[in-house]
Amino acid sequence: MELTKQEQAMLDGKEGYAVRKSMEILVALGEIFDAKNLIDVGSVQVAGVSYHNLGDAGLEFLDSLAKDGKVRVLTTLNPAGMDLENWQQLGITAEFAEKQNLVIDAFQRMGILVSCTCTPYLIGNLPLYGEHIAWSESSAVTFANSVLGARTNREGGPSALAAAFVGKTPCYGLHLDENRVPEVHVQVETELSKLSDWGALGYAVGKKAENQIPYLTGIKTAQLDELKSFCASTVTYGTKPLFYIKGITPGADKQVQPKETVTIKAEDIKNAYDSINDNVEEIDFVCVGCPHCSIKEIQEIADLIEGKKVKGDVELWVATSRTVKHLADKRGYTAIIEAAGGKFACDTCMAVAPLKGRFKALATTSAKGCFYSRHNLMKTKMGSMKECIKAAVSGKWNSN
């Protein structure tokens, strides 16, 4: 891989330990994928923030980089393992909180914005069409590539951090035009009537596209939250972190529709729900916000739960960024949800918090949330926001 004089100097250690280590990571990555050079990135999103995933070894690595490392571009964080302010309310232990705060302190010393969200595009980290970035979290990567038209590979935590310290990333994969060509045509022949249907669609497309880039037709309209849900689901269940929807996503009109075609019918959506949903009726955990809730979703939750009460043995979590939570505070949505017994889980989510063994059965709007909750030994139910709030109030799942 060709390096400029400045890049070679960074690799030689002339700008400190963190930059040298970062260049070693980026050069190794570039050589593995035959990248010709490094390219500038406009922003970075770093995953590997939860102490639950990092452990002491990860914390030690971050601390070593924070001694002299400072990020050169706008850099935000993926969710942490807890709400950084109200962790006790969510049942997090003091021992875990101490370690998680050390992780956050290391990131702060690097100059990273402690935003802790999987939806950085909702809180100010919003790349332009065609801009090269280095993001980590799978749904955010898919959203950036597909909905925004930016360009990023799915970075690991160390490679994203390296890109932040250097301001560059190897030019390979989805940074290149030839690797952004759709590979399979997905004809959608069914209506999508609620938010969770987009999660089911993502499941069905993921299974049929099988690590390809899909080009979807047959979808007439799509709202931001629906696309956000689809991004999370389709990459979780099998596709590459890029898709095109004819007439909706940027760049779709410039692509040639692939000859290989698969169809998504009503029975495929039903099969997706059947695969995601377990045979369980009693619900003790309702969590919405995977990816993190938008202000529009929080408004819907407030409207649905106003005047009601969460059942005593049920936990209702609204996972969102702290920035969006501040908007909810000002609009009065927070007060309504908390008066009903709901809890906000800022900075964290059901995928990275230490939840194993705490709950038996989850209700959510998120197909991705169900995937990760099964790893935490929970039974899962996916449905509309209305169905989830009903479950929070009654403690039972009723899809009617």
Side-chain angles (χ1 to χ4, degrees):
M1 191 167 66
E2 296 179 6
L3 299 180
T4 66
K5 289 183 178 178
Q6 182 195 19
E7 290 164 356
Q8 186 62 53
M10 289 191 284
L11 182 61
D12 292 340
K14 293 181 180 178
E15 295 191 24
Y17 170 79
V19 170
R20 176 179 64 79
K21 200 71 180 174
S22 297
M23 279 298 296
E24 289 174 357
I25 292 170
L26 297 177
V27 168
L29 193 62
E31 290 178 348
I32 289 170
F33 290 101
D34 293 324
K36 293 180 180 179
N37 59 292
L38 297 175
I39 50 173
D40 293 336
V41 294
S43 68
V44 173
Q45 187 226 14
V46 176
V49 180
S50 173
Y51 175 73
H52 182 58
N53 298 330
L54 283 168
D56 287 331
L59 174 56
E60 185 177 341
F61 175 69
L62 293 176
D63 190 60
S64 68
L65 293 176
K67 285 182 169 61
D68 72 345
K70 293 289 183 183
V71 299
R72 299 178 185 228
V73 296
L74 172 65
T75 306
T76 55
L77 295 177
N78 204 43
M82 66 182 196
D83 186 304
L84 299 179
E85 294 182 9
N86 298 313
W87 51 270
Q88 289 173 306
Q89 185 186 29
L90 300 181
I92 301 298
T93 66
E95 291 78 14
F96 183 91
E98 181 182 7
K99 295 286 191 176
Q100 182 65 77
N101 282 328
L102 289 173
V103 171
I104 296 300
D105 176 68
F107 283 127
Q108 281 185 312
R109 283 183 281 142
M110 298 172 192
I112 295 175
L113 293 177
V114 181
S115 54
C116 296
T117 181
C118 50
T119 55
Y121 45 87
L122 294 181
I123 58 96
N125 190 352
L126 185 66
L128 300 175
Y129 180 83
E131 184 176 12
H132 295 282
I133 58 176
W135 286 17
S136 292
E137 197 272 331
S138 61
S139 74
V141 168
T142 309
F143 192 96
N145 279 319
S146 310
V147 182
L148 302 178
R151 298 185 172 216
T152 180
N153 293 311
R154 185 180 175 185
E155 301 288 350
S159 65
L161 257 183
F165 287 136
V166 174
K168 300 171 183 282
T169 196
C171 188
Y172 74 95
L174 293 176
H175 291 285
L176 301 171
D177 287 341
E178 59 264 33
N179 295 325
R180 298 179 67 87
V181 177
E183 298 163 292
V184 58
H185 171 215
V186 179
Q187 174 65 35
V188 180
E189 298 179 354
T190 184
E191 294 297 317
L192 305 170
S193 61
K194 57 188 179 181
L195 179 63
S196 55
D197 286 351
W198 288 81
L201 175 66
Y203 177 98
V205 172
K207 295 297 184 182
K208 291 196 175 189
E210 293 184 333
N211 200 35
Q212 297 184 92
I213 297 173
Y215 182 96
L216 286 79
T217 61
I219 296 175
K220 297 180 179 64
T221 62
Q223 297 182 8
L224 183 146
D225 290 320
E226 294 167 340
L227 292 170
K228 176 163 67 74
S229 174
F230 180 70
C231 285
S233 180
T234 188
V235 72
T236 296
Y237 289 100
T239 68
K240 290 178 181 176
L242 168 63
F243 61 81
Y244 298 94
I245 304 179
K246 185 178 181 180
I248 293 176
T249 61
D253 59 332
K254 298 177 182 178
Q255 302 297 327
V256 176
Q257 183 174 300
K259 291 182 179 179
E260 180 189 348
T261 301
V262 297
T263 58
I264 302 293
K265 300 178 182 291
E267 63 190 62
D268 296 302
I269 301 299
K270 181 184 181 300
N271 290 339
Y273 275 104
D274 289 344
S275 297
I276 292 167
N277 286 349
D278 291 311
N279 184 22
V280 62
E281 182 179 340
E282 302 288 333
I283 300 294
D284 62 348
F285 185 41
V286 179
C287 187
V288 291
C290 181
H292 273 170
C293 283
S294 67
I295 191 64
K296 185 178 179 181
E297 288 175 299
I298 293 174
Q299 179 185 5
E300 183 181 2
I301 295 165
D303 290 344
L304 287 168
I305 207 166
E306 187 169 15
K308 300 181 177 71
K309 284 288 184 182
V310 175
K311 194 169 184 288
D313 55 353
V314 177
E315 289 250 330
L316 168 62
W317 288 14
V318 180
T320 191
S321 68
R322 194 160 297 281
T323 303
V324 172
K325 162 73 161 46
H326 287 159
L327 292 176
D329 294 345
K330 292 180 179 180
R331 294 293 297 169
Y333 305 145
T334 301
I336 292 171
I337 292 167
E338 291 182 342
K343 300 175 181 179
F344 276 81
C346 296
D347 315 312
T348 190
C349 74
M350 67 183 91
V352 297
L355 296 179
K356 187 174 288 186
R358 287 189 57 188
F359 303 104
K360 295 178 180 178
L362 163 82
T364 184
T365 57
S366 169
K368 178 179 179 177
C370 289
F371 178 87
Y372 283 99
S373 293
R374 281 180 169 170
H375 286 284
N376 283 326
L377 308 181
M378 297 181 213
K379 301 291 187 181
T380 59
K381 286 288 190 182
M382 180 181 73
S384 68
M385 194 74 80
K386 185 176 181 180
E387 289 168 321
C388 288
I389 298 306
K390 277 186 177 180
V393 172
S394 69
K396 296 183 182 296
W397 183 260
N398 185 347
S399 58
N400 296 325

